[in-house]
Amino acid sequence: MDIIQIRQQLEGHHQESFAWALRCCNGNREEAEDLLQSSYLKILEEKARYRQQKAQFKTWLFTIIRNTAIDFYRKKSPHLIQLNDALSGHIDLFTHQVDASPQDQETQLIFQTMLKQLSAQQQQILHLVFYQDLSIEEAAKVMGITTGTARTHYERGKKQLRKRLKQANLTRDLF
């Protein structure tokens, strides 16, 4: 893939990449912008190279963003922040639909609040699958875990969400 194709791919995935960067930065927009810029620079300066036979472009890109976030938080607070704490923030409001009804907006807010109650791994896998449309296998690659582990986090996360949504009487449209 040449530099022009890479730039086109980056442009095509920019909104999704920003949503993932925002997720990795615990909702901090400034940090997400810096993170995304650093990730793009790594790619454009060829410090990270895409190999088509290894992964889909989006999967590879999200992995670069996640790894850049890890480096960013290690440098920022090496003794205070652990990766899962840094990545366990809320699901960003990128998923908020402007034209959604007030009831749908309220349901989405409750859903996001319940997502925050899950483990960091469960939050990450569900975000990547539900909001970024990655397969479980692709999400596992982004997270740097095995597919089996990703499936476990995915199933446990869904089970916990289903249980909490049922308690809140919100399961009608979500699962």
Side-chain angles (χ1 to χ4, degrees), residues 11-36:
E11 288 173 15
H13 292 290
H14 180 70
Q15 282 189 319
E16 297 164 311
S17 298
F18 184 71
W20 179 239
L22 195 59
R23 172 76 177 83
C24 291
C25 292
N26 204 14
N28 185 313
R29 293 186 76 80
E30 276 185 35
E31 288 180 2
E33 290 168 0
D34 290 344
L35 170 63
L36 200 55

Side-chain angles (χ1 to χ4, degrees), residues 9 13 16-17 20 50 55-65 128 131-134 138 142:
Q9 287 286 333
H13 292 290
E16 297 164 311
S17 298
W20 179 239
Y50 175 59
Q56 296 290 328
F57 187 86
K58 183 177 173 179
T59 304
W60 173 78
L61 175 59
F62 279 29
T63 302
I64 300 298
I65 294 168
L128 289 167
Y131 292 109
Q132 301 298 340
D133 294 323
L134 295 183
E138 291 169 326
V142 170

Side-chain angles (χ1 to χ4, degrees), residues 116-173:
K116 285 190 238 181
Q117 297 170 8
L118 302 177
S119 74
Q121 294 83 5
Q122 290 170 357
Q123 288 181 48
Q124 290 174 46
I125 193 81
L126 292 174
H127 177 87
L128 289 167
V129 172
F130 291 156
Y131 292 109
Q132 301 298 340
D133 294 323
L134 295 183
S135 68
I136 293 173
E137 293 78 16
E138 291 169 326
K141 287 179 185 177
V142 170
M143 294 173 63
I145 59 177
T146 66
T147 301
T149 301
R151 283 190 207 294
T152 300
H153 290 304
Y154 178 75
E155 291 302 325
R156 287 180 182 170
K158 280 193 343 183
K159 183 178 179 182
Q160 287 297 317
L161 273 178
R162 193 175 289 118
K163 178 181 165 186
R164 289 186 172 117
L165 291 169
K166 189 174 185 178
Q167 291 171 343
N169 201 20
L170 293 173
T171 55
R172 65 188 185 281
D173 297 323

